[in-house]
Amino acid sequence: MLHDLMSALALVLVIEGIMPFLSPGAMRRVLFQIVQQNDRALRLTGFVSMLAGLALLYLVRQ
């Protein structure tokens, strides 16, 4: 179980690093737009992201 958790964390770090590595300017613009959003929009985006992740995990683990 710990091995799976560490593998998942490593994969998240790799995926998160792709955008700033390939296009740091675009990443900076995206982060600037995120900072300008209100809390409700960010919370909704996070919730939808969690639901999508859970659905994907459910489909992969079947």
Side-chain angles (χ1 to χ4, degrees):
M1 168 118 170
L2 183 60
H3 178 64
D4 290 339
L5 183 62
M6 296 306 287
S7 296
L9 180 60
L11 188 57
V12 166
L13 291 173
V14 168
I15 292 169
E16 288 286 329
I18 290 172
M19 180 78 165
F21 176 74
L22 293 178
S23 182
M27 181 70 179
R28 196 173 285 117
R29 285 189 299 274
V30 167
L31 290 175
F32 183 70
Q33 289 175 350
I34 290 171
V35 168
Q36 292 179 331
Q37 289 185 356
N38 61 28
D39 287 348
R40 184 172 185 220
L42 289 174
R43 194 169 280 127
L44 181 61
T45 302
F47 182 68
V48 170
S49 177
M50 288 188 303
L51 288 178
L54 283 173
L56 183 61
L57 184 60
Y58 177 76
L59 291 173
V60 169
R61 292 296 221 170
Q62 287 221 356

